[in-house]
């Protein structure tokens, strides 16, 4: 069993004697802050292998992205994913249809976290509606013939073995020398 230093033990003892509100403020000052978003990986339930996913072309229109957005204060990630999917594509689904992707949380180097969910819908009967402002276009793309993706989307999809960066080792694949 590892022993704590006397100074560290004293620090914890003093910290836990403080009122909860003060402890929370101190933690907020000392701990890094993250922006949390919700992303939905929408797969075509009818597509033959290798499958198709729904991608969006958003301003400035130089690359394709996944339906996603920032969570609102106190919003559950699955609720945010459903809300953003509906706002950006017109697809309204009950929360039970959203399955946590594996991994469910992707921590990006720039200080944000994406909570990722997957849904399957039949592309032939799913009507897509975009507003032309936040989203220019929504379209289904084969996994083996993806259009130009934004860098953030390519990095995110790589976590799921999809896209041009899927074969490249990411930060989670880097192992310290033994």
């Amino acid at each position: 069993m590892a022993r704590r230093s006397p100074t560290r033990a004293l620090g914890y003892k003093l910290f836990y004697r403080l009122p909860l509100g003060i402890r929370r403020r101190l933690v907020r000052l000392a701990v890094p802050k993250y922006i949390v978003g919700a992303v939905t990986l929408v797969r075509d339930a009818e597509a033959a292998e290798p499958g198709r996913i729904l991608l969006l072309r958003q301003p400035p229109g130089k690359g394709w992205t996944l339906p996603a957005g920032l969570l609102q204060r106190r919003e559950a990630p699955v609720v945010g994913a459903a809300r953003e999917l509906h706002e950006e594509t017109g697809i309204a689904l009950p929360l039970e249809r959203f399955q946590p992707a594996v991994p469910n949380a992707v921590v990006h180097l720039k200080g944000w976290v994406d909570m990722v969910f997957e849904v399957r819908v039949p592309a032939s009967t799913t009507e897509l509606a975009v507003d032309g402002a936040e989203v220019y276009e929504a379209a289904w793309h084969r996994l083996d013939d993806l259009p130009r993706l934004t860098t953030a989307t390519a990095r995110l999809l790589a976590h799921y073995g999809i896209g041009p960066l899927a074969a490249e080792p990411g930060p989670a694949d880097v192992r310290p020398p033994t």
Side-chain angles (χ1 to χ4, degrees):
M1 178 182 226
R3 293 183 48 98
R4 287 188 294 201
S5 74
T7 306
R8 185 172 175 178
L10 177 63
Y12 274 110
K13 190 179 284 187
L14 292 173
F15 177 77
Y16 284 108
R17 284 189 179 164
L18 294 171
L20 180 61
I22 292 173
R23 289 195 326 247
R24 282 187 179 154
R25 279 188 229 127
L26 289 172
V27 168
R28 283 190 188 120
L29 288 172
V31 174
K33 291 160 184 63
Y34 290 94
I35 297 168
V36 182
V39 179
T40 305
L41 181 56
V42 183
R43 295 180 185 268
D44 180 358
E46 304 167 320
E49 287 300 323
R52 296 191 314 170
I53 60 172
L54 181 65
L55 294 172
L56 310 178
R57 196 170 57 82
Q58 297 178 288
K62 295 180 180 177
W64 290 77
T65 66
L66 294 166
L70 297 177
L71 293 180
Q72 295 174 358
R73 176 166 258 154
R74 295 181 186 84
E75 182 176 44
V78 69
V79 172
R83 177 182 51 77
E84 286 292 338
L85 179 63
H86 183 251
E87 287 176 6
E88 294 180 348
T89 69
I91 299 173
L93 297 172
L95 296 179
E96 303 81 48
R97 296 274 307 272
F98 290 77
Q99 297 300 311
V102 177
N104 181 229
V106 175
V107 180
H108 299 277
L109 298 175
K110 301 267 184 179
W112 83 88
V113 177
D114 280 326
M115 302 300 297
V116 185
F117 296 88
E118 292 187 80
V119 296
R120 291 186 178 276
V121 298
S124 67
T125 58
T126 301
E127 189 174 325
L128 302 175
V130 298
D131 64 9
E134 181 182 5
V135 177
Y136 293 151
E137 181 180 5
W140 296 96
H141 295 275
R142 288 179 45 91
L143 293 177
D144 62 353
D145 189 26
L146 295 174
R148 180 177 180 222
L149 303 170
T150 65
T151 301
T153 300
R155 286 183 180 149
L156 184 96
L157 285 174
H159 287 276
Y160 305 97
I162 299 171
L165 303 180
E168 294 182 16
D173 298 322
V174 176
R175 307 280 186 252
T178 54

